[in-house]
Amino acid sequence: MVSAQESGAGQFVHVAGLAAALTAGGHDVTVYTRRECSRPPGRDRTEFGYDVVRVSAGPAQRVDEDEIVPHLGRLADSLGREWRDNPPDVVHAHGWTSGLASVLAERQGIPVVQTYYGIGGSARRQQGERLVGGEATRVAAMSSSEVFTLVRMGVDRRRISVVPTGVDVRMFTPWGQSAKRGTRSRIVAVWTTASHSGLADLVKVLCQVDDAELVIIGGPGKRHLGRTPEVRRLRAFATCAGVADRIVFTGAVPREQTADLLRSADIVVCAPRCEPVGHASLEAMACGVPVVATAVGALADSVVDGVTGVHVPPGRPRHLAKVLGGLLGDEILREEFGVAGRDRACARYSWDRVAADTVRAYERAGARTSGSVQLAVSAAPGRGDLVACGGVTPAAAPRAPETDDDESSGG
């Protein structure tokens, strides 16, 4: 898997969780990352059994997508040299810049599987996405809606598999410690800086939801919250709406503490205008918490309307307020949604299941997967955090039942 940059928490969690699960299933996995820190280039073995190789390509720091493009040739050269000496059975690229480096590096007939984390943006990005989509052996779409986007982009439907992201169902459970809370109902949302996050709408509707507090998990460290433009903007909205005393920003927290906070929620809200990955909804469902979500991207697949939560239209604050008020007033319905959500997270989105689906995509790309398979996973976090994530115990991953790739991930 190749990821030329860390394009967000969604990509980081997916690469780390998938690498750990594939390794636990008996595969030989190497994760290539672009070096983004002062740590020297080299290879390290993680506690989960896969290797992380840091490649020098551009400045040893995090850079924007546009800034990494000029360095992709150098990254491709490094990958190509390593793969000539030790060719993997399959290369899995994460993000379009990673895909571009992968198809440039591959000259030996090695299958390249591409995963996007959202499609569209600048003209340069769209051009690169189309190029990678045409050159990759197979594309692993993260949601059924992404399949339609890829087809409109020109990717042959026969070369597309639907492989969603996963969730650590051992870390995120309904059982365990729960964060302290008061007597108010608790609505939880997860921080994102994206302009389409829906957090502003959620802050505005809080005044229409009686006696409820909003906890926003994640973001910058607590020391930097007050200087972060998005936090200041949301706090200004809260002051104007008269709910500033009912909003809590936790700042960046460890993943274990994220699970504690999710367990303390009555409802988790995921209301962006687009969502290609959808980790927050899966983590909430795994914790047995009902989810109110916009029916967009990966959320339309993961959250089943009327079963594990409720779908709301994006950009409709009044409708969102009505749904939140009704659900907070119905404890039995929340419990039913929570139980169904936990079942769905375990059955469809555990890392074992996602790893099995990913291996089938590799096989359909032509990779040899009998016995021990060598996987080149190229990812760009480069901070060392990739080594510490995953949470999969070293046990063979059970193979999920065969499904048709034409079936959406909502199955």
Side-chain angles (χ1 to χ4, degrees), residues 282-362:
L282 298 180
E283 291 171 353
M285 288 163 54
C287 287
V289 181
V291 179
V292 174
T294 44
V296 297
L299 296 174
D301 288 346
S302 61
V303 180
V304 181
D305 188 35
V307 178
T308 68
V310 181
H311 285 171
V312 295
R316 296 276 297 278
R318 290 184 181 179
H319 187 91
L320 176 59
K322 182 178 179 180
V323 168
L324 291 175
L327 195 51
L328 287 172
D330 194 335
E331 183 177 357
I332 293 177
L333 184 59
R334 294 201 309 272
E335 290 181 358
E336 291 176 351
F337 286 168
V339 170
R342 171 67 184 178
D343 288 346
R344 180 162 174 75
C346 292
R348 180 66 188 95
Y349 296 100
S350 71
W351 279 119
D352 289 345
R353 168 67 188 268
V354 172
D357 289 349
T358 302
V359 169
R360 279 198 296 279
Y362 295 160

Side-chain angles (χ1 to χ4, degrees), residues 58-81:
Q61 61 186 38
R62 290 190 61 184
V63 295
D64 294 334
E65 184 177 85
D66 288 341
E67 296 179 74
I68 193 61
V69 172
H71 304 289
L72 291 179
R74 185 176 176 185
L75 176 60
D77 288 343
S78 297
L79 295 174
R81 284 194 299 270

Side-chain angles (χ1 to χ4, degrees), residues 174-253:
W175 314 282
Q177 185 174 345
S178 180
K180 293 182 180 179
R181 52 176 287 181
T183 58
R184 286 173 170 163
S185 300
R186 173 168 287 186
I187 301 168
V188 168
V190 175
W191 166 271
T192 173
T193 57
S195 59
H196 53 260
S197 68
L199 289 177
D201 287 341
L202 186 54
V203 169
K204 291 175 184 177
V205 305
L206 193 61
C207 64
Q208 303 175 49
V209 184
D210 294 335
D211 199 30
E213 66 176 355
L214 171 62
V215 177
I216 300 177
I217 304 175
K222 289 186 177 181
R223 291 184 300 174
H224 304 290
L225 280 173
R227 299 193 299 270
T228 303
E230 180 65 9
V231 173
R232 296 171 65 178
R233 185 174 74 94
L234 292 174
R235 283 178 170 165
F237 284 149
T239 300
C240 291
V243 295
D245 63 323
R246 291 198 275 145
I247 296 184
V248 176
F249 293 87
T250 69
V253 297

Side-chain angles (χ1 to χ4, degrees), residues 76-100:
D77 288 343
S78 297
L79 295 174
R81 284 194 299 270
E82 179 140 346
W83 295 344
R84 280 193 297 272
D85 297 334
N86 186 23
D89 296 303
V90 63
V91 173
H92 188 169
H94 292 261
W96 74 269
T97 51
S98 308
L100 193 55

